[in-house]
Amino acid sequence: MSAEPIRLTSLAHGGGCGCKLDPAILRGLLANQPVAGPFERLLVGNETADDAAVWALDDGTCLIATTDFFTPMVDDPRDFGRIAATNAISDVYAMGGRPILALAILGMPVGRIAPETVAEILKGGASICAEAGIPIAGGHSIDTPEPIYGLAVIGTAGRDRVRRNSDARAGDALILTKGIGVGVYSAAIKREALPEDGYAEFLATTTLLNRVGADLAADADVHAMTDVTGFGLLGHGLELARGSGLRVVIEAGAVPLLARAEALAREGYVTGASHRNWAAYGAEVRLPADFPDWRRHLLTDPQTSGGLLASCAAAEAEAIRDRARAAGYPLAAIVGRIEDGPAGLRIEG
């Protein structure tokens, strides 16, 4: 009799973007690092916690470079590969670019996972890259205690289409293109408590490429973008606020949620990363009186392959939201605004 296959999630201490370093620890580490240096062509480095590095070429084209990898948040190996690849490619779209190639990053506990399982992870990643129209042109693999998979991705954009998280303007509206709740869904998956229809919804959102970012960047009324991943909507909203030196206001009631997100959060399916996120940056967030914990947990919920958060001219926000919906992001919504004031974040509603 063959042994029962090992669940991928049982080999990881955390999963997806929920296994990112605590945001406060990461800020401290980066604060003590030297700046990238006086490279004239380096348009975006690590100075504003942006989604990718950007390097200007002679002809006005910019190279966009990023890397992202994590441990499993699902047990199906092909699904794990698909989610990780979608998430990694997202950073290029968040900068306003289009991907051109990827390199695989693979770490596997040799002897604990069957080679056939690893092959399925790689096939899943390759299928998403094929959907994005790019090759996996190489990569690197090592023996690790936990399974790890992701990509390094290179993209391009015209210099006028690069979108940073630091160019929001006072008076802008904020649009979020995907629903929130991936973290609570992953917590339910780990406890085998998410029904099949919930898993289908989870997989649909986490494998939906953020290619709309390249289209939004072609619109001069879209001023800034970032994607919402492991630090949650509040954490990435704060990065936008800090980078732009402005106040982000999130209207809690307008934030789109996955279908079961509220119920799961109320039942206590909250990740450890959600608690770490709040502990790291909660002092910079103003909450309404009597704001319920379950709603706060959703706003700090770590999103793996989450949506784009775009800061755009308020007068055009509804039209831009509608374009995103028509492009295949039905939960796209106007979720807040940008105000003058010291950098920080306030929640309303």
Side-chain angles (χ1 to χ4, degrees):
M1 181 179 296
S2 61
E4 187 74 17
I6 294 177
R7 293 183 65 196
L8 287 177
T9 54
S10 73
L11 298 175
H13 72 286
C17 286
C19 67
K20 292 174 72 169
L21 283 180
D22 180 304
I25 293 174
L26 182 60
R27 286 186 73 192
L29 291 173
L30 294 177
N32 294 320
Q33 297 300 314
V35 296
F39 296 97
E40 183 179 350
R41 294 189 184 183
L42 182 62
L43 304 184
V44 182
N46 60 10
E47 61 279 356
T48 58
D50 228 316
D51 297 300
V54 180
W55 184 272
L57 301 177
D58 286 335
D59 62 356
T61 301
C62 292
L63 285 181
I64 301 171
T66 184
T67 183
D68 211 314
F69 54 89
F70 46 62
T71 53
M73 61 192 306
V74 295
D75 292 311
D76 184 286
R78 188 178 287 255
D79 288 349
F80 172 38
R82 293 176 66 207
I83 294 166
T86 307
N87 180 75
I89 296 170
S90 178
D91 285 341
V92 171
Y93 292 129
M95 300 300 296
R98 298 185 187 277
I100 59 172
L101 66 85
L103 304 173
I105 299 166
L106 179 68
M108 287 293 141
V110 175
R112 300 192 68 190
I113 296 181
E116 296 79 12
T117 298
V118 180
E120 286 298 301
I121 294 170
L122 296 174
K123 287 177 183 177
S127 72
I128 289 296
C129 287
E131 186 179 333
I134 64 173
I136 295 182
H140 187 62
S141 60
I142 61 171
D143 184 358
T144 53
E146 295 181 306
I148 296 169
Y149 178 69
L151 302 173
V153 188
I154 302 297
T156 62
R159 188 162 182 163
D160 62 335
R161 295 195 177 186
V162 172
R163 292 294 182 272
R164 304 189 58 171
N165 67 3
S166 57
D167 291 330
R169 304 178 189 178
D172 277 358
L174 287 172
I175 295 174
L176 179 64
T177 62
K178 290 186 184 182
I180 294 293
V182 171
V184 296
Y185 273 47
S186 66
I189 289 169
K190 193 137 188 175
R191 289 157 64 178
E192 300 185 66
L194 188 68
E196 285 189 15
D197 62 335
Y199 185 82
E201 182 192 21
F202 165 88
L203 194 61
T205 190
T206 55
T207 60
L208 175 60
L209 287 162
N210 275 328
R211 63 174 89 234
V212 71
D215 299 325
L216 293 179
D219 189 334
D221 287 314
V222 177
H223 303 142
M225 281 196 298
T226 189
D227 60 351
V228 177
T229 55
F231 300 152
L233 178 58
L234 297 191
H236 293 286
L238 269 170
E239 288 180 340
L240 190 149
R242 294 172 188 142
S244 301
L246 297 167
R247 180 182 295 115
V248 166
V249 180
I250 298 294
E251 299 168 12
V255 175
L257 301 177
L258 301 181
R260 297 176 181 269
E262 178 178 338
L264 287 170
R266 285 179 178 272
E267 292 169 17
Y269 288 95
V270 177
T271 67
S274 180
H275 293 289
R276 291 194 302 272
N277 284 343
W278 181 251
Y281 56 64
E284 298 177 73
V285 177
R286 290 171 54 190
L287 292 173
D290 301 320
F291 196 71
D293 285 345
W294 68 265
R295 296 187 76 181
R296 175 172 59 80
H297 289 316
L298 285 172
L299 295 180
T300 58
D301 190 53
Q303 304 305 288
T304 299
S305 192
L308 299 178
L309 185 64
S311 180
C312 62
E316 303 300 323
E318 290 187 359
I320 293 169
R321 175 205 60 197
D322 291 347
R323 290 210 313 271
R325 289 178 176 175
Y329 305 83
L331 295 183
I334 299 169
V335 298
R337 61 188 183 275
I338 305 292
E339 294 181 344
D340 279 318
L345 193 147
R346 185 174 78 248
I347 299 171
E348 293 183 346

